[in-house]
Amino acid sequence: MIALKTLKAIEYDKIMSNVASYAVLNKTKEEISSFVPLTALKEVELLLKKTEEAYKYLYTHSIGGIYYFDDVSDELKRVDIGGCLNPAELLRVTNNLKSARIVKTAINSVNDGSLFELKSISDRLFVNPDFENEIASIIISEDEISDNASPKLYSIRKSISNINAKIRRELNSYMRGNLGKYLQDSVVTMRQDRYVIPVKSEYRSFVKGFIHDQSSSGATVFIEPEHVMELNNDLKRALFDEAEEIHRILCELSSKVSYMSDAIRYNAENLIELDGYFARAEYSFKNKCTKPILNDSGIVEINRGRHPLISKESVIPVSVKLGQDYNFLLISGPNTGGKTVTLKLTGLFVAMTMSGLYIPADDESKISVFNNIYCDIGDEQSIEQSLSTFSSHIKNIINIINNVDDKSLVLIDEIGAGTDPEEGSALALSIIKKLLDCNCYGIITTHYSKLKEFAIESKKIENASMEFDAKSLRPLYKLNIGIPGSSNAIDIAKVLGIEKAIIDDALSYLSDKKISFEAVLKKAEESRRNAERLSSELEKLKEEKQLELDKVVQEKERLKAEREKIYSTAKQETKRIVADKLAEAEEIIDELKKILKTVGLESKEVFRASELKNRLKNSKYLTAEDDDRPLEMIKVKPNELKIGSKVYVKSLGGYASILSIREKKKEAEVLIGQIKMIVKFDDIFNQEIVKNQPEKVKIYRNTANHLPKSEINVVGKTSLEAIDDVQNFIDQAVMNNIEEIKVIHGVGEGILIKAIREYLKTDKNVLEFRRGKYGEGENGVTIIKLK
């Protein structure tokens, strides 16, 4: 068991106090605050698993945690010996059942087979909704019982109400009579549960009755008139009956509680346990903690750990590695640089993990479970035992050496400090060697150069240093593993303003070896920081170049898409112009025929006009794919269709990419331009053109016949058929860059008109629509403007 003194030294008690604040039940708060870390790997794994499940229930499945209830141990003891509970006590007992029902129902509502630990606890909970409902129907509040608690109570209270009304009527009648002039006030009041009237003291003899009280001034006496005395007696008897019936009801309910007392006690135990896991989970969530990876091999790997007791605004993450390539870290560096905080953080994270808590560090952090944690931190001078600071530290270290094993974590701050530096250094070195021989794990902080030199040579202990800015002489609170740190005491004193003569004199006392070693450390630290700076700059430059490359690629894709769009638009516009000219030529030829018949010109002129029209039709405005020559294409077999392949869609007269295949319906979803459409397998052909092969489908491309249409006729179709046709027509119009189309639907009874226009409101390709104007078809057509 880890000593409480050790846990306090690493500030574990403060963490658990914070965790306890997230608990709902008072008993849970006490248990968490006094919880001691577990030391067996299996137990810690199970504890963390339960915390993980609580985390998922709270923040994945939105379970609300535990409903508050008071400790009802005393109440249960009383009912076990036949005692009767009052309404407030019965409500407190019911809250236990209510809490059990709420959490059990919530956990059972989650269908996740991986969450079995907490479910096994909730399955043990006893619920009795019938008793809950009975209490709710009988007890209105802590001091009020419902009229309907029993038929007898209802009858008694009804009688009380009638007696009260009768007494008030009698007294009001009495006060309105001749004796009203003797009254201090026309108010009916009560004294000792009996109705009385306020009479002026000097007229007390004029009112026959029993005097119950008088005012503090003596000016008023409260008299119960003799003719309402019997009614007051009836009221008193009814009130006694009421109290007796209420007592009977409460005793009956208390008797039911006695049958459930053991189950209610067991409920409390299980709910306190669940509350503890939910509190751990909530603490972990609120402090942005992550679940560590457990082991019992002494490996501790903290990734950007943040001390939970330092404010989030000022905390600086620190990374610590221990137990894999070496057993101990020897941390050196200047004072106030973060050595002690790092040492405490490591011990604290281990203790938190062994208590079922997540740790405030990045993902993939590793924490080992230890049999014990030993520490010697801070100034622990003992006045009672007349021990100096040094003596106190040595006592702690003796205890550590005598009890440590290969499953122990040891934390020693400023080892060998508090005595002669040379002797302290030698003693510290011997202690470290002894600890290494025990194969335990830990962190030691020091300023001694001899220890730093030893760590360079030894395989079981690794140097580490808290980063220090040599220019500003300020600590940076970053742990660098593999490099010892310089104390920088003389440099710091120099910056703080000590005379140069004193600095020079101090340097003269340092040995050449000490000066050389410190100079090497400073040079190594400077080189390391320069290397880190260059690495950071290169990484930043790499990111910038990658962003530039991404932008170039995006711009290339954008230009490609824009070019294709421009080409498609120009192509469609060319088709439209040629179609207009062809139509115009047809009209002219027809007109010429009429004229020729009238005036009798020779028919060769008509042939000449037709020839001109054909020349226009076969002009350079038509592309190769638009001529009248038959092209033969291979029909695609269903088993040849693949997602992403490019095919020719006959009905659309263009190429498309396959997005998905629906074999049962014998259709595919394709993307043509920016439009997604569903087409049948029979409408899909291979991209490659094949000439003069049997069993191929001939596709005739004729410019006039394949020009995009701008109107559709749906007259006589059902609403569903018409909407389907209009939807496909809009998609083709968008694909062909047509801005305005016409839907001919007729007037009829207006059903088709309404259905089509309701659909148009939902089509994302429709910018606006209107009924036709005079000459366009009026209400028999709808003009649609596309986006």
Side-chain angles (χ1 to χ4, degrees):
M1 181 176 174
I2 301 171
L4 297 179
K5 181 181 177 182
T6 296
L7 296 176
K8 188 173 182 180
I10 60 177
E11 300 177 290
Y12 168 85
D13 56 324
K14 296 179 181 178
I15 297 298
M16 297 310 286
S17 178
N18 287 343
V19 176
S21 67
Y22 292 101
V24 173
L25 307 176
N26 294 330
K27 189 68 174 176
T28 310
K29 295 179 188 291
E30 294 173 9
E31 290 194 0
I32 291 175
S33 297
S34 60
F35 190 87
V36 177
L38 305 177
T39 56
L41 178 62
K42 293 295 184 183
E43 292 179 353
V44 176
E45 284 177 339
L46 180 59
L47 189 54
L48 269 178
K49 175 70 168 64
K50 291 175 180 178
T51 300
E52 180 185 25
E53 289 191 11
Y55 194 102
K56 289 181 178 179
Y57 276 121
L58 287 175
Y59 302 108
T60 301
H61 301 290
S62 301
I63 298 302
I66 301 298
Y67 177 83
Y68 178 80
F69 62 92
D70 291 303
D71 181 13
V72 291
S73 301
D74 293 339
E75 287 84 347
L76 295 178
K77 287 178 183 177
R78 281 170 45 214
V79 298
D80 283 345
I81 59 175
C84 183
L85 303 181
N86 61 39
E89 291 168 333
L90 284 167
L91 287 175
R92 286 200 289 273
V93 170
T94 308
N95 281 340
N96 174 294
L97 296 171
K98 182 178 181 180
S99 182
R101 175 177 52 80
I102 289 172
V103 72
K104 186 169 187 173
T105 302
I107 289 178
N108 286 339
S109 70
V110 176
N111 185 20
D112 187 341
S114 67
L115 307 179
F116 52 85
E117 294 294 347
L118 296 197
K119 189 176 187 308
S120 68
I121 298 174
S122 74
D123 288 343
R124 300 198 294 261
L125 293 172
F126 171 74
V127 296
N128 192 337
D130 292 337
F131 185 73
E132 281 187 66
N133 293 333
E134 184 179 6
I135 291 291
S137 66
I138 291 175
I139 301 177
I140 297 174
S141 67
E142 292 186 355
D143 52 9
E144 187 177 0
I145 301 295
S146 170
D147 294 347
N148 297 311
S150 73
K152 184 176 180 180
L153 183 62
Y154 179 83
S155 176
I156 291 171
R157 285 186 173 175
K158 187 175 181 181
S159 176
I160 290 171
S161 177
N162 292 336
I163 295 171
N164 278 323
K166 191 173 182 180
I167 293 173
R168 286 182 175 277
R169 285 197 302 270
E170 288 290 335
L171 289 177
N172 285 332
S173 175
Y174 186 82
M175 289 187 296
R176 287 195 295 269
N178 295 330
L179 295 178
K181 58 186 177 181
Y182 304 132
L183 301 181
Q184 190 71 261
D185 195 1
S186 298
V187 175
V188 176
T189 186
M190 294 193 79
R191 290 292 186 274
Q192 299 174 10
D193 292 331
R194 299 182 77 88
Y195 283 97
V196 296
I197 56 175
V199 179
K200 294 176 183 178
S201 186
E202 61 268 26
Y203 298 123
R204 68 176 68 186
S205 60
F206 291 91
V207 179
K208 293 182 180 181
F210 183 79
I211 298 175
H212 284 273
D213 198 3
Q214 71 175 7
S215 65
S216 57
S217 65
T220 305
V221 292
F222 297 93
I223 299 176
E224 179 185 4
E226 61 181 6
H227 69 280
V228 297
M229 283 184 179
E230 189 57 38
L231 288 173
N232 270 332
N233 289 337
D234 292 342
L235 179 61
K236 197 75 172 179
R237 283 191 293 271
L239 291 173
F240 281 138
D241 291 342
E242 179 191 33
E244 187 177 279
E245 177 62 11
I246 288 174
H247 181 72
R248 186 196 66 78
I249 292 170
L250 294 177
C251 287
E252 185 178 306
L253 293 173
S254 300
S255 176
K256 291 182 179 180
V257 171
S258 69
Y259 289 110
M260 301 182 285
S261 60
D262 289 339
I264 293 172
R265 289 188 185 95
Y266 195 42
N267 269 359
E269 293 176 12
N270 288 301
L271 289 169
I272 289 167
E273 184 179 357
L274 287 172
D275 191 28
Y277 302 135
F278 285 127
R280 287 173 170 84
E282 189 171 355
Y283 171 87
S284 300
F285 176 80
K286 294 291 176 61
N287 289 276
K288 298 181 180 179
C289 301
T290 60
K291 183 183 178 183
I293 299 171
L294 280 181
N295 69 89
D296 61 352
S297 306
I299 298 173
V300 175
E301 188 173 321
I302 300 169
N303 299 324
R304 291 178 53 79
R306 306 173 299 280
H307 199 294
L309 296 177
I310 300 176
S311 67
K312 296 177 181 178
E313 292 74 24
S314 57
V315 67
I316 298 175
V318 62
S319 297
V320 179
K321 287 186 178 181
L322 178 70
Q324 197 155 12
D325 299 322
Y326 45 84
N327 286 28
F328 270 82
L329 271 180
L330 182 73
I331 305 178
S332 52
N335 290 323
T336 70
K339 300 191 301 296
T340 303
V341 171
T342 301
L343 178 142
K344 283 186 174 182
L345 177 142
T346 304
L348 181 60
F349 278 19
V350 170
M352 288 173 66
T353 300
M354 291 162 61
S355 300
L357 289 169
Y358 287 9
I359 58 174
D362 286 359
D363 290 332
E364 302 300 315
S365 292
K366 300 175 182 177
I367 298 293
S368 177
V369 175
F370 294 96
N371 288 344
N372 214 325
I373 301 174
Y374 299 96
C375 73
D376 182 63
I377 301 173
D379 187 353
E380 298 183 3
Q381 184 171 355
S382 174
I383 296 176
E384 292 180 2
Q385 299 179 26
S386 300
L387 295 175
S388 67
T389 300
F390 178 76
S391 300
S392 177
H393 288 315
I394 293 301
K395 282 276 189 181
N396 283 340
I397 289 172
I398 290 171
N399 178 63
I400 292 170
I401 291 173
N402 289 339
N403 293 284
V404 77
D405 59 20
D406 61 354
K407 295 291 185 181
S408 299
L409 178 68
V410 178
L411 308 169
I412 302 178
D413 190 29
E414 299 295 351
I415 187 170
T419 187
D420 175 74
E422 189 171 352
E423 290 187 8
S425 172
L427 182 60
L429 182 56
S430 296
I431 293 170
I432 289 175
K433 287 182 177 179
K434 176 63 176 177
L435 292 173
L436 294 180
D437 289 341
C438 294
N439 288 320
C440 57
Y441 303 85
I443 297 178
I444 295 172
T445 68
T446 188
H447 288 286
Y448 293 144
S449 297
K450 187 177 290 187
L451 303 185
K452 302 175 193 176
E453 293 171 7
F454 173 74
I456 292 174
E457 300 171 356
S458 176
K459 293 182 179 180
K460 286 188 175 182
I461 187 168
E462 180 66 82
N463 271 304
S465 60
M466 302 308 298
E467 191 165 323
F468 190 78
D469 190 335
K471 293 182 180 179
S472 65
L473 296 178
R474 292 183 180 276
L476 300 177
Y477 306 104
K478 179 183 177 182
L479 183 67
N480 295 314
I481 296 175
I483 302 175
S486 174
S487 297
N488 294 287
I490 294 177
D491 290 335
I492 293 172
K494 183 178 179 180
V495 170
L496 292 175
I498 289 185
E499 294 179 15
K500 184 177 184 302
I502 296 175
I503 297 295
D504 293 340
D505 191 40
L507 289 171
S508 69
Y509 294 128
L510 294 177
S511 65
D512 292 341
K513 185 178 179 182
K514 170 71 175 177
I515 294 173
S516 175
F517 185 71
E518 291 293 321
V520 169
L521 291 183
K522 290 178 182 178
K523 189 68 176 176
E525 174 64 11
E526 185 179 349
S527 298
R528 186 196 62 77
R529 293 194 66 200
N530 285 335
E532 272 195 359
R533 178 180 56 79
L534 289 173
S535 177
S536 177
E537 289 176 357
L538 286 172
E539 189 64 29
K540 185 178 179 181
L541 183 61
K542 180 182 176 182
E543 290 177 359
E544 290 175 354
K545 294 302 179 185
Q546 186 62 46
L547 287 173
E548 290 179 6
L549 179 60
D550 291 343
K551 288 181 180 178
V552 169
V553 172
Q554 290 174 3
E555 183 65 15
K556 182 179 178 182
E557 292 296 323
R558 188 189 67 79
L559 291 173
K560 181 180 177 182
E562 188 69 23
R563 184 181 64 221
E564 290 178 353
K565 182 179 179 182
I566 292 171
Y567 172 76
S568 176
T569 303
K571 183 177 174 182
Q572 296 297 334
E573 183 62 17
T574 301
K575 288 181 178 180
R576 186 187 65 78
I577 293 171
V578 171
D580 289 346
K581 295 301 181 184
L582 283 172
E584 185 180 348
E586 290 283 2
E587 291 178 4
I588 293 171
I589 291 171
D590 289 341
E591 190 65 27
L592 283 173
K593 287 180 179 179
K594 293 178 182 178
I595 294 171
L596 289 172
K597 287 180 180 179
T598 303
V599 299
L601 294 177
E602 295 182 7
S603 60
K604 64 180 181 178
E605 297 299 331
V606 177
F607 294 131
R608 174 61 177 162
S610 296
E611 183 185 349
L612 290 174
K613 186 203 74 168
N614 289 330
R615 283 175 60 188
L616 175 62
K617 183 175 180 180
N618 296 314
S619 68
K620 63 181 179 180
Y621 293 108
L622 298 181
T623 61
E625 70 179 33
D626 290 322
D627 61 22
D628 291 331
R629 292 178 292 113
L631 301 178
E632 296 176 334
M633 302 189 75
I634 304 172
K635 183 180 284 189
V636 178
K637 297 178 181 178
N639 59 1
E640 295 175 345
L641 292 174
K642 294 181 180 179
I643 295 174
S645 60
K646 194 171 182 181
V647 296
Y648 182 82
V649 181
K650 177 183 175 184
S651 62
L652 301 178
Y655 295 101
S657 296
I658 295 179
L659 298 177
S660 64
I661 301 168
R662 305 174 182 180
E663 293 183 1
K664 291 184 178 180
K665 294 187 177 182
K666 295 184 178 181
E667 60 187 24
E669 183 182 18
V670 300
L671 178 68
I672 183 164
Q674 300 298 318
I675 306 300
K676 295 179 181 179
M677 300 187 70
I678 302 297
V679 296
K680 296 294 184 181
F681 286 170
D682 292 341
D683 202 18
I684 301 175
F685 298 85
N686 273 338
Q687 180 184 357
E688 297 80 10
I689 299 173
V690 181
K691 299 285 187 178
N692 301 321
Q693 291 190 23
E695 297 184 2
K696 304 296 185 292
V697 176
K698 290 187 177 182
I699 301 175
Y700 288 86
R701 298 213 172 107
N702 183 287
T703 304
N705 293 335
H706 284 81
L707 286 173
K709 298 179 181 179
S710 62
E711 68 177 48
I712 183 173
N713 191 330
V714 295
V715 175
K717 295 190 176 184
T718 65
S719 296
L720 290 176
E721 292 172 340
I723 289 172
D724 188 51
D725 289 349
V726 170
Q727 182 182 11
N728 292 331
F729 187 66
I730 289 174
D731 289 342
Q732 292 183 24
V734 170
M735 183 182 65
N736 289 305
N737 298 308
I738 298 176
E739 295 182 358
E740 188 173 278
I741 61 174
K742 178 194 292 186
V743 177
I744 303 171
H745 42 62
V747 178
E749 297 180 358
I751 297 174
L752 194 57
I753 298 173
K754 183 178 179 181
I756 290 172
R757 291 178 182 173
E758 284 297 321
Y759 164 72
L760 293 177
K761 293 177 183 178
T762 65
D763 195 307
K764 62 182 181 180
N765 292 312
V766 175
L767 180 62
E768 59 184 35
F769 61 88
R770 60 178 175 82
R771 59 174 283 176
K773 298 179 182 177
Y774 179 76
E776 291 179 326
E778 300 184 56
N779 204 36
V781 302
T782 296
I783 307 299
I784 304 169
K785 192 171 183 179
L786 303 175
K787 294 181 180 178

